[in-house]
């Protein structure tokens, strides 16, 4: 089995969560397979193909899971991006549109040094709004988005198109057409 087949076999579709019409891709069964989790991290490192990453930046909260593992594997710092109001120190913020209304992401103002190249990681790419906002935070701090990685990409929502201006290296291990 390919790594995509192994991950897909474990991802659980939960219909109408968190609201009617959404099919939620539940990755928690993947987390219960430590051999596969290790293989996933190795696969990200392989697909980065030598791109020099200075720091891994990941989005609350499911992005933290593999984000921290990738940072650990690469021996680089990990930086959390969180929803507004969660980070305790001085922050900068970026708002983005949700289906209904607006949300705000924050990062500590001193978390990423200007000139660094970062990997941004999240569990899933849907419309791309979340990562577009995260990339803007990284760029506001003067850093560069060297690559963006996901476990899952929902191709039919075309989120990738919104991310291309930030980085040409977009990695997804599992795609749904
Ligand atoms: P978007 O900004 O539209 O790309 O949405 C991505 C964010 O929403 C990620 O942090 C995902 O965890 C979450 N998300 C969106 N759609 C789903 C879905 N169908 N299943 C699981 N998570 C989702």
């Amino acid at each position: 089995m390919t790594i995509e087949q192994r991950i897909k076999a474990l991802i659980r579709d939960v219909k109408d969560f968190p609201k009617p019409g959404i099919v939620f891709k539940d990755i928690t069964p993947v987390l219960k397979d430590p051999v596969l989790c290790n293989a996933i991290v190795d696969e990200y490192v392989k697909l980065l193909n030598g791109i020099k990453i200075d720091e891994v930046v990941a989005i609350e909260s499911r992005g933290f899971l593999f984000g921290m593992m990738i940072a650990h594997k690469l021996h680089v710092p990990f930086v959390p991006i969180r929803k507004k109001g969660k980070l305790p120190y001085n922050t900068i913020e970026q708002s983005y549109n949700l289906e209904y209304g607006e949300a705000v992401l924050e990062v500590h103002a001193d978390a990423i040094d200007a000139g660094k190249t970062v990997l941004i990681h999240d569990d899933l790419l849907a419309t791309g709004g979340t990562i577009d906002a995260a990339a803007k935070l990284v760029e506001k701090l003067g850093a560069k988005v060297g690559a963006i990685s996901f476990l899952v990409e929902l191709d039919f929502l075309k989120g990738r198109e919104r991310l291309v201006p930030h980085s040409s290296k977009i990695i997804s291990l599992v795609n749904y057409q």
Side-chain angles (χ1 to χ4, degrees):
M1 281 215 281
T2 64
I3 193 154
E4 177 168 27
Q5 289 167 333
R6 289 164 69 195
I7 300 167
K8 272 192 173 170
L10 290 176
I11 286 177
R12 181 163 54 192
D13 282 0
V14 183
K15 290 204 176 70
D16 298 322
F17 182 88
K19 56 186 180 185
I22 303 286
V23 179
F24 190 86
K25 297 292 183 190
D26 177 17
I27 66 164
T28 60
V30 176
L31 304 176
K32 292 186 68 179
D33 184 334
V35 174
L36 180 57
C37 287
N38 270 322
I40 285 169
V41 175
D42 288 345
E43 187 71 8
Y44 284 127
V45 172
K46 189 180 102 191
L47 294 174
L48 282 169
N49 200 21
I51 293 177
K52 189 176 162 292
I53 299 296
D54 299 314
E55 304 195 3
V56 175
V57 177
I59 322 296
E60 172 181 359
S61 56
R62 288 180 298 278
F64 293 172
L65 301 166
F66 285 104
M68 185 68 206
M69 286 178 75
I70 297 166
H72 182 74
K73 186 84 185 179
L74 293 174
H75 304 287
V76 300
F78 174 82
V79 175
I81 287 185
R82 299 203 64 184
K83 310 268 167 60
K84 189 177 172 66
K86 305 279 188 175
L87 287 169
Y89 189 58
N90 299 335
T91 59
I92 62 162
E93 63 179 50
Q94 177 67 47
S95 61
Y96 62 107
N97 291 326
L98 296 174
E99 204 175 337
Y100 304 111
E102 198 179 66
V104 178
L105 291 180
E106 289 185 330
V107 68
H108 277 147
D110 63 352
I112 308 166
D113 291 332
K116 297 287 186 197
T117 300
V118 309
L119 167 71
I120 301 180
H121 177 80
D122 202 2
D123 66 322
L124 183 140
L125 172 60
T127 67
T130 307
I131 297 293
D132 181 42
K136 285 177 177 155
L137 284 176
V138 166
E139 290 159 358
K140 273 183 192 173
L141 291 175
K144 184 176 163 234
V145 182
I148 306 172
S149 64
F150 305 94
L151 195 63
V152 178
E153 178 173 358
L154 305 181
D155 295 2
F156 52 90
L157 293 176
K158 301 191 180 352
R160 184 174 279 256
E161 289 172 10
R162 284 179 80 170
L163 305 187
V164 169
H166 298 293
S167 177
S168 57
K169 187 73 177 175
I170 302 171
I171 297 167
S172 308
L173 301 192
V174 169
N175 294 74
Y176 292 92
Q177 276 77 34

